[in-house]
Amino acid sequence: MTKPLANRIALVTGASRGIGYATAIALAKAGAHIVATARTQGGLEELDDEIRKDGGSATLVPLNLTDSDGIARLGAGLYERYGKLDILVGNAGVLGPSSPIGHIELKTFNDVMAVNVSANFQLIRCMEPLLRQSDAGRAVFITSGAANKATAYVSPYAASKAALETLARAWAQETANTKLRVNLFNPGPVRTRMRATLMPGEDPATLDTPEQVAEFIVPLCTPGWTETGKFYDYKSRTLMSFRAPA
């Protein structure tokens, strides 16, 4: 049986653990060749082992996404090797501090924005030409309910995700008349290290696993997916449109 993502190239950021790790494996099982980025070499090597167990293939790229020149070099390398990119999953993110706004240092705030917003901005700049070379380029960015809830005590994270959503939506509008589709995915509470840091008293057994979530990200990456500028809410299993405030 032909796999739905056979012969497709998928770049996944933050792929060494959590949702990124599970999504990379799910995309590989669907037939994609995975270009996996993360800061930790060991986590990437574990990912590579898992992908190869199922007969898949991966290219490992140790990269701190605050290295904007490194992202540009990655784009150039992908063009030289493949001439295109079919799938971009912008998953990498940091939680930042859990504190009142007045207690947060400016550098700490900027560090969160650098990973959660500026790095994705640079990814868009560098990967759009490659995605446009695909017959069905797909981009999915992992967001959070904190973006619209303006959750207290995690203001840098909430603000960064709100900025990411606006960035992705603007890109979706700019590319609406192309073959490229751009969407956001909100996983909600998931059994990840980030969630455990934020909610240390929560029973992780009550949460869905990254592997469960990843199965719902894969369809947004397929050539058959036609929606753009939308928001998929995993908890309600609903594809939503953005609306202006009432």
Side-chain angles (χ1 to χ4, degrees), residues 13 22 47 74 76 94 122 135 144 148 153 161 165 167 174 182 186 188 193 198 204-205 213 218 239 241 244:
T13 69
L47 172 68
L74 173 59
V94 294
Q122 180 71 341
D135 60 347
S144 166
N148 58 74
Y153 304 114
K161 289 300 186 180
E165 288 187 1
L167 186 66
E174 292 174 7
V182 180
N186 176 26
R193 187 181 303 182
L198 179 64
V213 171
V218 171
L239 183 67
S241 297

Side-chain angles (χ1 to χ4, degrees), residues 129-145:
L130 293 167
L131 288 162
R132 282 176 174 263
Q133 290 299 311
S134 172
D135 60 347
R138 301 290 179 260
V140 180
F141 294 94
I142 306 303
T143 186
S144 166

Side-chain angles (χ1 to χ4, degrees), residues 8-16 20 23-25 27-28 32-38 44 47-48 51 56-63 65 70-71 73-75 77-79 81-82 84-91 123 127 130:
R8 306 195 81 74
I9 310 301
L11 171 60
V12 182
T13 69
S16 63
T23 300
I25 291 173
L27 291 171
H33 174 78
I34 306 301
V35 179
T37 75
L44 289 175
L47 172 68
D48 187 49
I51 288 175
S57 62
T59 299
L60 309 182
V61 185
L63 177 66
L65 290 181
I71 293 174
R73 289 193 297 271
L74 173 59
L78 290 173
Y79 178 77
R81 185 166 183 178
Y82 303 111
K84 65 163 186 172
L85 180 66
D86 300 296
I87 299 162
L88 167 62
V89 179
N91 163 77
L123 279 166
M127 301 305 160
L130 293 167

Side-chain angles (χ1 to χ4, degrees), residues 1-186:
M1 181 180 292
T2 303
K3 295 183 177 181
L5 298 179
N7 302 315
R8 306 195 81 74
I9 310 301
L11 171 60
V12 182
T13 69
S16 63
R17 63 174 184 255
I19 292 173
Y21 183 94
T23 300
I25 291 173
L27 291 171
K29 287 181 178 178
H33 174 78
I34 306 301
V35 179
T37 75
R39 291 176 296 177
T40 54
Q41 177 74 31
L44 289 175
E45 290 174 354
E46 290 177 17
L47 172 68
D48 187 49
D49 290 342
E50 286 299 315
I51 288 175
R52 291 181 185 279
K53 281 181 184 178
D54 289 320
S57 62
T59 299
L60 309 182
V61 185
L63 177 66
N64 187 327
L65 290 181
T66 60
D67 179 3
S68 57
D69 290 340
I71 293 174
R73 289 193 297 271
L74 173 59
L78 290 173
Y79 178 77
E80 183 177 344
R81 185 166 183 178
Y82 303 111
K84 65 163 186 172
L85 180 66
D86 300 296
I87 299 162
L88 167 62
V89 179
N91 163 77
V94 294
L95 178 61
S98 299
S99 302
I101 293 174
H103 295 182
I104 299 170
E105 297 290 335
L106 178 59
K107 181 184 183 304
T108 304
F109 178 85
N110 287 338
D111 287 346
V112 174
M113 299 299 284
V115 176
N116 295 359
V117 184
S118 299
N120 284 302
F121 170 76
Q122 180 71 341
L123 279 166
I124 290 170
R125 291 184 64 249
C126 297
M127 301 305 160
E128 179 178 352
L130 293 167
L131 288 162
R132 282 176 174 263
Q133 290 299 311
S134 172
D135 60 347
R138 301 290 179 260
V140 180
F141 294 94
I142 306 303
T143 186
S144 166
N148 58 74
K149 294 176 183 176
T151 305
Y153 304 114
V154 290
S155 57
Y157 181 75
S160 71
K161 289 300 186 180
L164 174 62
E165 288 187 1
T166 301
L167 186 66
R169 291 169 62 197
W171 189 30
Q173 290 199 56
E174 292 174 7
T175 57
N177 293 325
T178 73
K179 296 175 183 178
L180 176 58
R181 307 287 86 180
V182 180
N183 292 282
L184 291 143
F185 186 97
N186 176 26

